[in-house]
Amino acid sequence: MMKAGIGILASALLLLLSGGCGGKGANAISDSIADNSYVGDWKQDLSAHAYAMADSILATLTLEEKAAQMMMPALFSSDDIYTLKAVGDYGRKGIGGLVLLKGISTSAKLISDSLARASAVMPFISIDAEWGLGMRLSDEPSYPLNSDIGKDATERDMFVYGAAVARQCRRIGINMVLGPVVDVAGRDSFMGRRSYGDDPVRVSDLAVAYARGLESEGVMSVAKHFPGHGSAKGDSHKFTPVIERSLHQMDSVDLYPFKKYIESGLSAVMVGHLAVPAIDPDMRPAAVSYTVISELLQRELGFKGLVLTDALTMGGAEGAGADKALEAGADIILAPEKTDREIKRIVKAVEEGRISEERLNASVRKILFYKSLLTLRR
């Protein structure tokens, strides 16, 4: 079911992405939705002011509040009293944001508004929208699965698509999309329907264009699942899959779309619960691997944006605590099983000297910088 007022837009995009229209008709639809140019310079134009805002806020936070800024617990998009009480508690504790799970848009809007009112620092409100908000919110539009995007879909089409989804997100208070999926995978792989395909160039072209569309409308994108889930033979929701590719294969296939995303100056990368022996011989899950995050993603590939873990409630994250993720180089902890426990783990690690407060400050400053950018972008 589609909400009134966006049905025509959703229908037009469905045609555009599935290859149901082309030529002048497709261009007319694109032109009516968004301009094709990526308004990327706004980040650079606002950076100095955003860093000043971030430093000002950082100076006011306690150690516990800094650790809390790293947390983004998950909640169903419901308006029951227990959910709303949890939202109020999160706001008072200074939690950095939320991951919205299944529900409806009115409840999602109530949650996002309630958390914003209860929080001293603007929260991130995120959602999986890999094929539109309908992936999680039953009364919002769904678009073709990534694997079903038409062969004739262009980067322009994907930019338009991302911009339209961003506008739908902003209407209900969502400022971060946990996508695009940049995993390179064939239809017969576990990631098949969530992937744009088995051609790393096409995957990167479509995914980066979609992400640029999101960010042109002031919604953060998050490329996932680093360093590449496409060849995994299992589900990281249940256990930690082992990626058996060689370093050469990883570099030419799996890492290729991430490199293009990074080169485009986009905002965030999610690290998966994957063991990749070609990169980390100790086979630590990527989300808590210093080799994967600090050495490969940040140092070698030069990524300066936000690094998110995949959900810590997943089976592949067993034994992976927030302190280990912070040590590895992560900035945001998604869906911790027990948020208070993970905050305490970080605080304890800093108090015991296992993690310096300067290291924690670096992540929190980055979080606050991107929040300040979003605030200034409004």
Side-chain angles (χ1 to χ4, degrees), residues 17-66:
L17 297 171
S18 62
C21 63
K24 293 182 180 179
N27 288 337
I29 292 170
S30 300
D31 292 341
S32 72
I33 298 170
D35 184 82
N36 190 40
S37 60
Y38 172 48
V39 192
D41 290 342
W42 66 267
K43 283 185 179 180
Q44 295 181 359
D45 294 343
L46 298 174
S47 288
H49 194 183
Y51 273 122
M53 290 175 63
D55 288 337
S56 178
I57 297 169
L58 182 63
T60 70
L61 301 181
T62 66
L63 180 57
E64 288 76 11
E65 289 169 338
K66 291 174 186 177

Side-chain angles (χ1 to χ4, degrees), residues 62-251:
T62 66
L63 180 57
E64 288 76 11
E65 289 169 338
K66 291 174 186 177
Q69 275 296 306
M70 295 186 65
M71 302 297 150
M72 289 182 61
L75 281 177
F76 283 97
S77 298
S78 170
D79 59 3
D80 65 88
I81 190 170
Y82 302 104
T83 298
L84 295 180
K85 181 181 182 301
V87 170
D89 290 342
Y90 286 147
R92 285 185 288 275
K93 292 174 181 176
I95 295 297
L98 290 174
V99 180
L100 294 176
L101 303 177
K102 289 184 177 182
I104 58 174
S105 60
T106 52
S107 297
K109 179 72 163 66
L110 181 59
I111 288 171
S112 64
D113 288 348
S114 298
L115 185 60
R117 285 194 300 269
S119 300
V121 178
M122 186 199 82
F124 287 135
I125 305 294
S126 72
I127 195 166
D128 285 300
E130 295 173 17
W131 44 86
L133 288 174
M135 181 177 174
R136 289 289 181 257
L137 304 178
S138 60
D139 57 341
E140 292 289 333
S142 286
Y143 302 104
L145 298 177
N146 291 342
S147 60
D148 293 337
I149 297 288
K151 292 182 179 179
D152 294 332
T154 66
E155 291 175 70
R156 176 183 175 81
D157 298 336
M158 295 301 293
F159 179 94
V160 169
Y161 174 24
V165 170
R167 292 175 187 178
Q168 293 163 13
C169 286
R170 290 181 63 182
R171 179 172 46 81
I172 53 180
I174 294 168
N175 53 26
M176 176 187 285
V177 166
L178 302 176
V181 172
V182 301
D183 299 314
V184 181
R187 282 182 175 268
D188 59 347
S189 79
F190 171 74
M191 295 297 293
R193 68 175 193 161
R194 299 172 65 187
S195 169
Y196 292 114
D198 59 5
D199 178 355
V201 175
R202 175 175 164 81
V203 169
S204 64
D205 288 347
L206 298 186
V208 168
Y210 174 78
R212 291 172 70 185
L214 287 172
E215 300 208 2
S216 75
E217 292 291 333
V219 172
M220 291 181 61
S221 65
V222 182
K224 61 186 185 185
H225 306 79
F226 191 82
H229 204 307
S231 66
K233 296 180 180 178
D235 182 355
S236 57
H237 290 85
K238 299 176 181 178
F239 59 90
T240 306
V242 178
I243 305 299
E244 300 287 3
R245 289 195 192 274
S246 69
L247 195 57
H248 174 72
Q249 289 173 316
M250 291 295 299
D251 186 60

